Amino acid sequence: MLTLTPEVEVLARFGRALADPIRCRLLLALREAPAHPSDLAERLGISRTRLSNHLACLRDCGLVVAAPVGRRTRYELADQRLGRVLDDLRTAVVAVEADRTCPDAAEKDCC
């Protein structure tokens, strides 16, 4: 039986977090600077409830943390290295997208 190593499990969790466009946008927004939920909801154009669900997912994945600031809560990336990872990933994905060599991509919706 194939067992997953802890590193693979963490990568898979990161991939699941990135699988949703709103969570991607949230991570990119937090890459720029920590923010309060109300500011994030306005910036992303989504409801506070919907934002709360996505922030909970990202917290559960260990990608963001909540920091109390007075009576409010501010969210930030759990580790600033995640910002660099997101930048590198974006650059790599854009490069791959520009050089799509899979001849069946449109037909199979695979790439």
Side-chain angles (χ1 to χ4, degrees):
M1 173 185 266
L2 181 66
T3 59
L4 294 178
T5 64
E7 292 88 6
V8 172
E9 290 174 8
V10 170
L11 284 172
R13 192 169 60 233
F14 186 67
R16 282 190 299 274
L18 290 177
D20 184 274
I22 290 175
R23 290 194 294 270
C24 287
R25 291 173 56 208
L26 263 171
L27 288 169
L28 291 172
L30 293 174
R31 176 184 120 281
E32 293 175 14
H36 297 282
S38 58
D39 298 329
L40 288 167
E42 183 178 326
R43 183 173 178 183
L44 298 178
I46 62 174
S47 71
R48 294 277 309 269
T49 302
R50 193 167 182 198
L51 177 84
S52 178
N53 291 335
H54 287 289
L55 284 172
C57 175
L58 293 174
R59 273 194 325 268
D60 291 345
C61 288
L63 299 176
V64 301
V65 293
V69 178
R71 292 180 160 177
R72 298 178 73 192
T73 301
R74 184 185 70 209
Y75 283 85
E76 57 192 50
L77 294 177
D79 186 318
Q80 290 309 306
R81 290 177 290 188
L82 287 170
R84 292 190 298 275
V85 167
L86 290 167
D87 287 338
D88 289 345
L89 185 59
R90 249 183 5 174
T91 302
V93 168
V94 167
V96 169
E97 179 66 21
D99 185 32
R100 292 176 83 165
T101 57
C102 179
D104 300 325
E107 221 175 82
K108 295 180 180 177
D109 195 29
C110 62
C111 308

